[in-house]
């Protein structure tokens, strides 16, 4: 009988990687067999919270070593670094769950426009499955390369999918006013995330040009079953808190709608999704923090549809959904290690 | 030669009152002659930060005493408590700057609908001047009763006034996604503002039914010069920080607009307003905190106009604008004690 | 074959109770069979983070009902409320883990002095076992009534136990400068824990008269093997963060000591304790937050011993150690549901 | 008649410099004539909060230019950079208020031991006056070079000066457990002050080796009138808040003392110091934040003296005391621009 499958954490120094390691340590089906990082350090030196949990030192990336020990690799490296290693892993039969943005956009040209680089692995791009189980649960189990969704995008897409799937709203009317905790900006120190700069402050950033915009457009257009493109206005804000993304979404219905019908629609749409909670109260990021839940409420105000939703950007927005994808690929219950 | 004029702080225990007292202590034209509070305490017992600054104990409210000592009264009491004392002060010749919501809505019926009480002083309501100097600078000097604007409303109105004054936008298209620090909720402890509840959390509240909505509608319709009513969608959010309101405003232009023309319009519109800073970068609440400035930026995204603006809710959103009004009524420079 | 044992959560509305429920939901050996609260509400209405996790409504306390369904009761009610229900539960054969302070002090007179009430269950007091597994691991399995330690006390005692057990320090020289996150103050709103009061502020409170003082004295004197009483100076501070207690402990050694010998002593003393991490770096509360770990470092500065230690007040300081105690009583691995 | 004196801000990009500029803009006796920074930017680009307040671009440092325009220079540059420019300024007759650590330690050897550099200006070191007005008010007016005290040191020294001046305590018994907001760590981004690292966390740092230690020892020994050296144990902690230092100080009295006698002593000792508030309640950093006040309370617990004190590290701990020194040097009231 097979024991737990070996998994690699490639790029182990960031916040999503740390969260992932903590989840994987509770997972009965896997064993962290190797971790890589530019810093040649023990995992518990990179992340003191892991002291006493795992006895492993990071190694430089080596595709052969990963393939020898692991059936799966989670990539926690930045975009462009991902597409530099994915082909070598896939050639060696390692299944990849990529937490970077490299395989999310189907069109290499759109990738180039928004990320400023030519995509070096268009073949991988064509085969990658977008790892949002709530929408693509059937396509994930057989996949060999998963593009794990962005945190803002998961929040936005899950907020709007029922409305576009039922073609209830004007596809050019969508405004997503998103608010994120600071861990979403990563672990590299910079002035904008220096504590005395962002603490006690709220501001918008990348207005009209955040890279999650084309990802939201693309997946919602798919969720709509094609036809006219969805084009959202997406405004991210930085909020003085560690974790959590909150999206306040505004959309103009094609025809008048009743709030309770919408709520019913959401409950039905997500009835098979164990991590979506359609709540009747207004959600707060704190109630979904440190969990893999996505909480969502729907309101109608002066004829406009408002969706208010949140999740933990490091869990449901990154490491948690990555493990959801892993569970589906392993044929294990979707909630394994996530409750 | 007359010395400084006596002023009263009626309702001295809250945050706006404390901020007001700190500003007034730097003001060369006034002297705090009396302060009232239900708690019969010294000001520096109510507010330890005032230790060594002012030697005054609160007294119960007495209109005769106020009139004897003071030319002006600032009201820091809750709505309904304001209209209970305003007539007695005005009868005695005391000019009133009311920080509550009681005199902001011109229509007593609208007040009743949103506040759930009959208005007991409709005559006062008719005479009150809306104390937003940037829009009503001419009407404030002779006024005897000033309705000091709400913090969300000032942010919202100043964000939109140039656009509606020039009739550039669809008046039913306006979305105001507003984010506020917790001091905006007042000083009475309740579960929603208990530290471990709201810290590290962001949520929306009073969606579609916040009482600042009709105030925004009313003043913006006035600013538009009448005609079709402005009807905004206003969504307030609670943010884990002490101070600051940030508004992200979305509006559909009547015809295509250029970003630089809008910026020019804003600069021109506010050229005589010393506390409005039309900035080219994206503003952050921290840069206007502890100041009387309103910072605003304008962008065009996918054909929609975005206004991003912020102020300190206790200063420009409450105590600071109250002193701006006082300065205008005293014929002193508008910036006195505010820089 | 017996299934999971039924457990009761008596007093389910507070933070420690919520944390406890979340841990118990992951526990393979128990089932939450009843929960009580003065508010007659569903658990997920009291705690929205529990939505989708447990389908249970709180009931009024009824000892018979608890006894019928449960082998164990966790008490999350305030002191005095605990001792009012403990005898009725014990008479019915329910084992009790009491998170209040009611059974921690061995001497009813000391209880009365510090809590201002006569103790109504001195028999229970005599039999209660102090539930700090790191010191009293042998006494816990057979116990019928566990006095779960206070959060400040656990931090303080675990910081000092090796030093007093080896009689290395002057027992009257101990200073414990403790810093706590705000959740330690409970869930009832009050001015001192109102967000705009305690955010961005640090202060000391209850200087020289915090009720955890006699508990620390008593347990450390026991740990010293009796003899001269330990008498600590304990100074608690409120820190603007949700969770975590940090103790900076100063003690005068009886004779000169070497830092590395002390570190060795701590490692040995806690070698059988899976939740104590003797670290070589300086610990930070964040690294033990949301975990059941106690992190501790030792230094010698100018001849004085400094111990720097931290834990999560709601987990290792309350709900987590309660489950550690439960595990010992059930004969299950001490770490069950806690990693 | 002479107009306002020109002052230079040398090193204008940091937090203390920004605070200083804001205070100087309210000061009737001075005019900011030049500002320097390695970044060749406008002040309001470096500090967006200064938008609309000052129209000045930073220039590279040039001693001749400073001397031409200014009577005073405030140095906001790091240690070693200060001593590199001080002699050139003094040669040209510019009085210097140095906010760095370069001129605080009287003994060049002690400087070298703690800062790891040889001191390049021992002559300046010998002449510098330690700019703590509460202790050295007489020596400041004629000084030509002021060593502005460190933030931790001011807090510590003011907490203990009355006790050592009266020789009431054992000079080797002093423990200073200090807690600082994050702005004290400066404006250069690093991992330890990256928001998601230090938010929601408390930790100690530089235990036993913080550079403010010898400064505290030296000044307290001076305050004691010489004799046996004071040797403190100083433990700094990083607290998740922007501003404020809180010191909890423990000292063993030479003979038993009464709390009320100590409070009386403190009131008397500081009776001529307008920025010291001896309070009877326990102080909180928030009450002194954004002010130049130092708040202090005294307690006796189990025979030990506890002093609990706080100030704003950027104001009373840096820019505010610098202006206090300036006021004394200008012969203006000590409180000018500081209330």
């Amino acid at each position: 009988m097979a024991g737990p499958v070996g998994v690699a954490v490639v790029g182990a120094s960031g916040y999503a990687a740390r969260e992932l390691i903590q989840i994987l340590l509770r997972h009965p089906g896997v064993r962290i067999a190797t971790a890589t990082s530019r810093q040649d350090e023990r995992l518990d030196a990179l992340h003191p919270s892991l002291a006493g949990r795992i006895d492993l030192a990071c190694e430089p990336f080596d595709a052969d070593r990963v393939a020898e020990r692991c059936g799966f690799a989670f990539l926690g490296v930045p975009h462009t670094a991902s597409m530099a290693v994915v082909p070598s892993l896939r050639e060696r039969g390692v299944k990849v769950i990529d937490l970077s943005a490299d395989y999310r956009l189907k069109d290499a040209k759109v990738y180039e426009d928004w990320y400023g680089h030519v995509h070096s692995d268009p073949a991988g791009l064509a085969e990658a499955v977008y790892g949002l189980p709530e929408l693509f649960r059937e396509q994930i189990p057989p996949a060999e390369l998963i593009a794990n969704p962005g945190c803002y995008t998961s929040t936005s897409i899950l907020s709007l999918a029922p409305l576009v799937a039922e073609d209830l709203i004007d596809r050019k009317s969508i405004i997503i006013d998103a608010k994120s905790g600071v861990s979403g900006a990563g672990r590299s120190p910079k002035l904008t995330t220096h504590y005395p700069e962002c603490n006690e402050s709220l501001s918008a950033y990348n207005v009209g040009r955040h890279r999650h915009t084309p990802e939201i457009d693309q997946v919602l257009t798919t969720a709509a079953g094609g036809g006219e493109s969805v084009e959202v206005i997406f405004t991210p804000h930085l909020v003085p808190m560690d974790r959590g993304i909150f999206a306040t979404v505004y959309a103009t219905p094609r025809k008048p709608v009743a709030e309770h019908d919408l709520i019913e629609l959401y409950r039905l749409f997500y009835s098979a999704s164990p991590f979506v909670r359609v709540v009747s109260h207004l959600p707060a990021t704190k109630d979904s923090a440190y969990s893999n839940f996505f909480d969502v409420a729907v309101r109608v105000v002066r004829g406009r549809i408002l969706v208010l939703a949140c999740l933990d950007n490091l869990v449901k927005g990154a490491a948690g959904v990555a493990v959801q994808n892993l569970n589906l690929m392993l044929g294990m219950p979707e909630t394994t290690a996530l409750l």
Side-chain angles (χ1 to χ4, degrees), chain A:
Chain A
M1 192 211 76
V5 64
V7 302
V9 179
V10 176
S13 65
Y15 294 133
R18 182 183 63 199
E19 199 71 28
L20 178 66
I21 292 166
Q22 281 169 331
I23 297 171
L24 293 176
L25 285 170
R26 291 196 298 264
H27 198 293
V30 305
R31 186 177 47 84
I32 301 173
T34 183
T36 81
S37 163
R38 278 168 307 178
Q39 292 127 300
D40 196 22
E41 287 193 81
R42 287 177 52 83
L43 280 179
D44 57 5
L46 287 175
H47 303 295
S49 61
L50 295 176
R53 302 301 316 285
I54 181 165
D55 183 15
L56 197 64
C58 289
E59 304 171 286
F61 177 77
D62 180 301
D64 287 325
R65 190 192 301 130
V66 172
E68 193 179 304
R69 300 185 195 163
C70 305
F72 290 83
F74 292 92
L75 305 194
V77 293
H79 67 90
T80 74
S82 267
M83 60 188 178
V85 301
V86 162
S88 67
L89 290 168
R90 294 188 63 209
E91 281 162 21
R92 287 161 179 79
V94 180
K95 295 187 180 184
V96 175
I97 298 174
D98 177 22
L99 279 75
S100 88
D102 274 352
Y103 291 89
R104 295 178 191 158
L105 294 171
K106 280 295 158 200
D107 185 336
K109 180 63 176 52
V110 175
Y111 180 88
E112 194 178 330
D113 288 349
W114 286 82
Y115 287 85
H117 300 273
V118 173
H119 202 291
S120 64
D121 183 22
L125 204 58
E127 292 168 34
V129 170
Y130 194 78
L132 191 59
E134 287 74 12
L135 296 190
F136 307 108
R137 194 170 277 115
E138 306 306 312
Q139 302 168 41
I140 293 166
E144 294 179 357
L145 170 56
I146 295 286
N148 214 52
C151 48
Y152 277 130
T153 42
S154 285
T155 320
S156 302
I157 294 166
L158 294 175
S159 293
L160 283 155
L163 298 178
V164 297
E166 295 295 317
D167 202 21
L168 293 178
I169 56 173
D170 174 350
R171 295 181 188 184
K172 301 285 188 269
S173 75
I174 300 168
I175 289 168
I176 301 165
D177 193 279
K179 298 92 174 168
S180 176
V182 185
S183 62
R187 205 181 180 195
S188 299
K190 35 187 173 307
L191 189 61
T192 47
T193 51
H194 185 49
Y195 186 92
E197 300 286 318
C198 64
N199 184 45
E200 291 293 295
S201 195
L202 185 143
S203 57
Y205 65 100
N206 286 359
V207 171
R209 53 195 185 77
H210 193 283
R211 287 162 168 176
H212 284 178
T213 308
E215 192 179 332
I216 299 169
D217 288 352
Q218 166 191 293
V219 182
L220 284 179
T221 303
T222 302
E228 189 198 9
S229 292
V230 172
E231 278 180 25
V232 304
I233 292 179
F234 173 71
T235 315
H237 299 76
L238 194 67
V239 179
M241 58 185 191
D242 278 353
R243 290 166 174 243
I245 288 183
F246 192 98
T248 314
V249 179
Y250 303 85
T252 305
R254 294 196 187 280
K255 55 184 183 185
V257 288
E259 199 168 281
H260 66 269
D261 290 341
L262 293 176
I263 295 171
E264 213 36 58
L265 164 66
Y266 274 69
R267 292 198 199 277
L268 195 65
F269 190 89
Y270 288 121
S271 57
S273 291
F275 293 114
V276 176
R277 302 191 290 200
V278 182
V279 297
S280 48
H281 61 274
L282 292 170
T285 59
K286 198 162 202 166
D287 292 326
S288 56
Y290 299 90
S291 89
N292 199 51
F293 287 108
F294 168 76
D295 289 348
V296 58
V298 192
R299 294 290 184 274
V300 176
V301 176
R302 288 184 159 175
R304 203 81 56 108
I305 299 173
L306 269 70
V307 186
L308 306 113
C310 59
L311 51 70
D312 184 313
N313 54 303
L314 294 179
V315 188
K316 182 59 179 156
V321 69
V323 174
Q324 243 185 299
N325 286 317
L326 173 77
N327 290 339
L328 290 168
M329 293 163 93
L330 287 171
M332 296 182 74
E334 196 172 325
T335 56
T336 306
L338 292 170
L339 286 179

